[in-house]
Amino acid sequence: MKRRNTGPSPETVTLVLERDRWSCARCGRSVAGGERGRDWSIQHRIPRGMGGSRDERLNLPSNLLVLCGSGVTLCHGEVESHRELALVAGFLLYRAQEPAEVPVAASEGWVLLDDEGGRRAV
């Protein structure tokens, strides 16, 4: 059985990388030239859940961040292993929240993310 792709499109990943300046949104470390899944990954602020989801808003740019590391290393590992702190900082959200309306404590300060690949300070 072929695995169903429930992640963002390559175009959306590129948009998020450009928006986040090819750097980890949490610590600012450059991910340019790194390998996806090892050196950097895309964080879903509202998690997809085991097996993914058909909820299209989960793969919108406002719900996605670039984080250094994998789900168990560096910033991505920190977010996954300290979920309560990640919720306070906007790196994780509850399903009922709207990502474009919840700021995230990015490396340069609190920002709101939109679905066109923009970010603005709050």
Side-chain angles (χ1 to χ4, degrees):
M1 177 194 278
K2 186 177 177 186
R3 186 175 171 196
R4 180 172 57 100
N5 182 1
T6 62
S9 70
E11 296 81 16
T12 300
V13 170
T14 298
L15 182 69
V16 171
L17 280 162
E18 290 172 353
R19 180 202 63 209
D20 291 348
R21 300 173 193 98
W22 288 82
S23 298
C24 176
R26 185 170 176 262
C27 74
R29 176 182 299 163
S30 174
V31 300
E35 181 182 329
R36 184 175 179 186
R38 186 188 67 160
D39 300 313
W40 64 274
S41 47
I42 296 291
Q43 165 72 7
H44 286 78
R45 297 172 71 200
I46 298 173
R48 290 184 295 176
M50 298 299 286
S53 171
R54 294 186 192 276
D55 185 347
E56 291 182 7
R57 74 184 179 123
L58 299 186
N59 288 315
L60 292 174
S62 63
N63 192 52
L64 305 173
L65 294 166
V66 174
L67 293 178
C68 62
S70 68
V72 295
T73 63
L74 302 172
C75 285
H76 200 167
E78 286 291 312
V79 165
E80 293 299 331
S81 62
H82 298 97
R83 295 177 77 80
E84 288 302 317
L85 292 174
L87 283 163
V88 171
F91 289 102
L92 284 176
L93 301 176
Y94 296 109
R95 277 213 190 266
Q97 292 178 289
E98 289 299 326
E101 297 173 4
V102 181
V104 61
S107 61
E108 74 275 15
W110 288 93
V111 296
L112 279 172
L113 308 173
D114 65 34
D115 292 326
E116 287 73 47
R119 63 193 300 141
R120 68 177 174 84
V122 292

